[in-house]
Amino acid sequence: NAKKTQEKLLFDILRSNRSSDIGGRYGFSELSSAEAFRGVPLSEYEDYKAAIDRIRAGDSQVLTTEPVDLLHPTSGSTDGTKLIPYTRALLRQFRAAIDPWIGTLYLSCPSLFWGSHYWSISPSTRSTPDPGAKMPIGFASDAEYLGVTQRWLTRILFAVPSEISQVTDQRAFDYLTLLFLAREKNLRLISVWHASFLTVMISEIGNHKKHIVNDIRTGKIRKDLAISSDLRELLESSLGRDPRRADELEGIDTAVRAFPGNIWPRLRLISCWTNGHSQPWIAELRERFPAALVQGKGLIATEGVVSFPVGWTHRVCAVRSHFFEFVDTVTGEACFLWEITPEKEYSVIITTGGGLYRYRLHDLVRVSGFFCRVPCLEFISRDNLVSDIVGEKLNGRHVADCICRVQRECAIPFDFAMLAPLSDQEATGYVLYVQVQEGVDVDYGRLAALLDDALCANFNYRHARQISQLHPVRVFQIRRDADAAYRRYCAGNGMKAGEIKLPALSTDTRWDVVFDGGLVA
């Protein structure tokens, strides 16, 4: 009963936080219905910034009555950091979705218990608070999202030791991840956020094969990595010597298409995003790992869990985690979870135990059906990504649709494609940064013209083009490693691996110095 479950959850949140400053301001103790709760205004992160600054300085009972344990940093783009308050209530809400996700995962694929797993973690980015701050910033480990039982399982089943999260140097972190994964022949499950993270990572095994084989053979980690002696000793004790595995790896040809499936012949499941702009990488994963099933992840943000996967086709709304509302993209009206209808698109609003009330996530979802009378949600795109140089207001969703349409018309599989503004005195306009498979013949002039025509469906863009405010779309051919260069750039701007998404549109104007290549049209 989604309605009953959601209403109980809402009133538990309101009752628990009625003594907080925000609870007094909006009269939480007097709200007697979900409809009355709509008197609380919709909010953005900027509406909470002053309150979060108070929490960081040590003030209590600001957004929640329960103490805030830490502020967790997040970012949805290459600029700006948000600090999200985490309470014990919020962690319980996360686990209300994580537990059934993991439980159904093992029930549907019991053979996962008979091997090792890799769940993507990020290098340590824990911040050092300024002298006036009284609140920890960030988790020490991603495993803190998990309960006691899950943490115990991670120590037994994980192929990569959790201590690797203490490595702060990105180069060392990447190599050590590859080293421990290559050492484990009986790898059964890989869980990453974006499929491209995995495709880029495995492509690097060939480049480091000599070092990996030597380190596995000797049980000693190469000396040129930037890690402390204590951490090196700890990781080497987990690595150990394995000459037999070293011999197996030495005999594997990393240049053949069977690689890397021949490194992990028992891999049964890959969990990653399958929605949005990820299809080219999903297709590559299925080709590289034909024996493994690919399970699409649900929609998870640092602020809360929107949905989680059940089986191979359902991504079910986390009805027991947070209180949800959905803004109808056509009417602009806010609907409760029990009011949304199939095949319609909505923008997600959440109310959580961490002190965010009627908070706009700016994630656009489509109701794809129901599972046990609970809506299943398919992530479409961000709904607030807009590029506006001269008033054209290009929307990220529209740009993604245009790129897909041009790709189909040209019959060219893009390995990477992203539109971004490039402003100079002579040619202000947009550039399509694109990488295609080596040897594919491309008419880049036609590609640019088709994309420019498609973007002209946006009235403001068409008007800017007609009066020459914007020049026609140009094409920047990326010669190699587009995805890796993108990720390095984002990581250099403070983003964690799990936060990095590959958008169809970027508002950053610096990509011409990030990618290896040049303008070809």
Side-chain angles (χ1 to χ4, degrees), residues 65 75 106 144 149 198 207 224 376 379 397 407 510 514-515:
T65 304
S75 169
Y106 288 119
E144 291 187 45
T149 303
L198 180 56
N207 298 331
D224 62 336
C376 296
F379 172 73
R397 172 76 184 284
Q407 182 176 355
R510 296 164 288 183
V514 173
F515 296 123

Side-chain angles (χ1 to χ4, degrees), residues 60-225:
S60 60
Q61 298 196 355
V62 180
L63 297 175
T64 58
T65 304
E66 185 179 41
V68 174
D69 294 328
L70 58 88
L71 297 170
H72 196 49
T74 184
S75 169
S77 64
T78 56
D79 50 32
T81 298
K82 299 184 289 186
L83 295 174
I84 306 303
Y86 266 68
T87 62
R88 292 184 180 180
L90 180 58
L91 280 175
R92 286 195 298 270
Q93 291 177 348
F94 267 96
R95 290 167 190 156
I98 292 172
D99 286 355
W101 170 30
I102 294 178
T104 55
L105 190 64
Y106 288 119
L107 286 171
S108 60
C109 199
S111 65
L112 297 177
F113 275 116
W114 307 113
S116 296
H117 306 162
Y118 171 61
W119 293 72
S120 173
I121 57 176
S122 305
S124 175
T125 55
R126 190 168 184 133
S127 306
T128 302
D130 60 66
K134 304 290 180 63
M135 182 62 54
I137 307 297
F139 286 121
S141 165
D142 292 354
E144 291 187 45
Y145 280 104
L146 305 176
V148 175
T149 303
Q150 290 97 322
R151 290 189 212 178
W152 174 76
L153 280 171
T154 65
R155 290 195 293 272
I156 295 175
L157 297 174
F158 276 24
V160 178
S162 60
E163 289 81 10
I164 196 176
S165 64
Q166 299 172 34
V167 177
T168 57
D169 180 76
Q170 186 69 48
R171 173 175 171 269
F173 178 86
D174 291 346
Y175 174 79
L176 289 167
T177 301
L178 289 175
L179 174 64
F180 279 96
L181 284 177
R183 184 188 185 280
E184 181 54 64
K185 181 177 181 178
N186 191 24
L187 188 68
R188 299 294 181 102
L189 178 149
I190 293 177
S191 176
V192 296
W193 290 108
H194 199 284
S196 64
F197 174 80
L198 180 56
T199 60
V200 169
M201 182 176 67
I202 59 181
S203 69
E204 288 295 307
I205 291 180
N207 298 331
H208 297 286
K209 181 180 175 182
K210 181 179 177 181
H211 288 292
I212 288 172
V213 168
N214 182 69
D215 289 359
I216 292 174
R217 191 182 304 281
T218 62
K220 299 294 183 182
I221 297 170
R222 55 191 289 190
K223 297 296 185 183
D224 62 336
L225 296 183

Side-chain angles (χ1 to χ4, degrees), residues 17 19-25 48 50-56 58-66 68 355 357:
N17 297 304
S19 300
S20 66
D21 291 351
I22 197 169
R25 185 191 315 162
Y48 291 97
I52 290 171
D53 286 344
R54 287 178 55 197
I55 294 171
R56 186 171 185 173
D59 282 5
S60 60
Q61 298 196 355
V62 180
L63 297 175
T64 58
T65 304
E66 185 179 41
V68 174
Y357 305 94

